[in-house]
Amino acid sequence: MTRSRTAAVLAVAAALPALLTGCSSDGRGAGPTGTTAAQATAPSSDPTGSAPGRGATAGASGPATRDASAARPVRSPAKPVRVPAGVTAGYAVVDVTTGRTVAQRQAHHRFRSASVVKILIATDYLERHRGTIPAGDMALLTPMLRGSDDDAATALWRRGGQGEIVRRMARRIGLTETSPPPAAKPGFWGYTAVSAADIALVYRYLLRRAEPRVRDFVLGNLRKASQCARDGFDQFFGIPRAVPRPWAIKQGWSGYGAVPPVKCTRARATSYRIGAVTMGGNPVDFGRPVLHTTGVIGDRLIMVVLTLQPSGASFTQSAERVTKLARDLYLSVA
């Protein structure tokens, strides 16, 4: 074998391992655009089109056509998120595309719903009433969803059969931890028992199974949630202050009295306290203040954070805790 031929053979032999494995010396793909041969020729098994935990490769050819956050796949599993001291939290984050729960903690623990139940009230109404919504009913549904109007919720709650609303929706959606208020308080819609897992299912139902007219009405109004609720409380805590738009939200609060720390509108809220009630072996605390943030973030995530706050906690302090928790949770999966 000539010297030049020997040199050529040795060069091919040296390059052969890299050609077979597609890896550089540091164990990462080393193609000209930063992808391996397998990535360049085979479709990704990830529904978002990229490997878990990775965003777009820096310096990749071609201009970006989508927002980086929207293109980025949901990270799984999520990093642990610390819950503030003195707070009982149940949360669930669901990847809208796959339906996978990518983060959860006490997701089956039951809390009183406060105003989060208004999603069920509106959805039940729309599924029982076909055709054009009468102007009088529209004047109840819209402020109930956007401004969390309690008087509107009470009117629709009574007309819908009170606890029967919850039972109907639980059967339709398949909710296993949601139940009507205690028998002694049938008119108190805010005492409906819910879990983070069940509320995530409600949003999943709206996005995937509900009729388009129902989905568009409910989520369309939740996307237009006002900062100041009808009772005067600032409802832009949690998701609205923790994550970027677009989002559709339904918040809940109870146990903070009738006067908000910063009065946006005339407040007429009433605080009811009846202590803890055992329902089906799963206790629901009706005594401590609750503060919940729930919604759909962009087209990627469903986030539900339900919390019991320390007894005597102020609304402002509770809102700060929930906002930090929602932000940490979002960053753990984004």
Side-chain angles (χ1 to χ4, degrees):
M1 183 180 295
T2 65
R3 180 176 300 176
S4 60
R5 186 176 180 184
T6 300
V9 170
L10 291 174
V12 170
L16 188 59
L19 291 172
L20 291 175
T21 62
C23 293
S24 63
S25 60
D26 64 357
R28 294 178 294 178
T33 61
T35 59
T36 66
Q39 289 173 323
T41 60
S44 171
S45 61
D46 184 80
T48 62
S50 54
R54 296 182 183 174
T57 304
S61 60
T65 57
R66 292 186 298 171
D67 177 74
S69 177
R72 189 184 307 125
V74 177
R75 183 183 299 155
S76 180
K79 295 178 181 178
V81 173
R82 189 182 72 84
V83 174
V87 173
T88 300
Y91 61 69
V93 180
V94 176
D95 182 330
V96 169
T97 303
T98 65
R100 291 181 306 150
T101 299
V102 295
Q104 62 179 322
R105 175 191 174 94
Q106 296 195 95
H108 301 286
H109 184 87
R110 299 210 295 176
F111 298 78
R112 72 184 187 275
S113 68
S115 290
V116 174
V117 74
K118 292 169 183 173
I119 305 175
L120 295 182
I121 297 173
T123 303
D124 177 75
Y125 171 92
L126 293 167
E127 293 190 337
R128 288 186 299 107
H129 294 79
R130 302 284 174 172
T132 304
I133 301 173
D137 291 352
M138 187 71 79
L140 296 174
L141 289 163
T142 300
M144 180 182 73
L145 291 173
R146 297 186 189 185
S148 204
D149 189 301
D150 290 345
D151 291 339
T154 298
L156 292 168
W157 177 257
R158 290 171 179 168
R159 284 169 44 186
Q162 300 187 129
E164 286 304 311
I165 294 173
V166 177
R167 295 185 185 95
R168 282 192 296 266
M169 295 309 300
R171 287 193 298 268
R172 180 179 292 270
I173 300 174
L175 309 177
T176 59
E177 292 146 358
T178 298
S179 57
K185 302 287 183 181
F188 287 31
W189 40 260
Y191 284 178
T192 297
V194 299
S195 69
D198 270 5
I199 296 302
L201 278 177
V202 172
Y203 282 110
R204 180 79 173 162
Y205 174 81
L206 287 169
L207 288 166
R208 300 299 186 191
R209 294 168 51 198
E211 295 178 41
R213 67 179 185 87
V214 176
R215 176 197 64 215
D216 295 345
F217 186 89
V218 175
L219 293 180
N221 277 289
L222 296 185
R223 289 188 186 99
K224 297 177 181 178
S226 58
Q227 178 172 349
C228 296
R230 285 296 182 99
D231 64 5
F233 282 82
D234 183 341
Q235 61 175 350
F236 274 18
F237 57 84
I239 292 172
R241 283 203 168 93
V243 307
R245 288 181 183 268
W247 34 252
I249 58 161
K250 187 69 206 77
Q251 313 284 70
W253 58 94
S254 175
Y256 297 98
V259 181
V262 178
K263 191 174 181 179
C264 297
T265 60
R266 184 178 180 182
R268 293 185 294 139
T270 303
S271 177
Y272 301 100
R273 306 180 70 85
I274 62 174
V277 175
T278 299
M279 304 169 70
N282 193 339
V284 178
D285 191 328
F286 294 95
R288 286 166 59 188
V290 297
L291 201 67
H292 309 321
T293 185
T294 79
V296 180
I297 301 169
D299 58 358
R300 300 176 61 230
L301 297 173
I302 295 168
M303 180 183 289
V304 179
V305 180
L306 309 181
T307 71
L308 273 171
Q309 298 291 322
S311 296
S314 73
F315 182 84
T316 300
Q317 292 172 332
S318 299
E320 290 173 353
R321 283 189 286 262
V322 170
T323 298
K324 184 179 188 307
L325 179 56
R327 181 181 296 116
D328 290 347
L329 187 55
Y330 177 75
L331 293 176
S332 77
V333 300

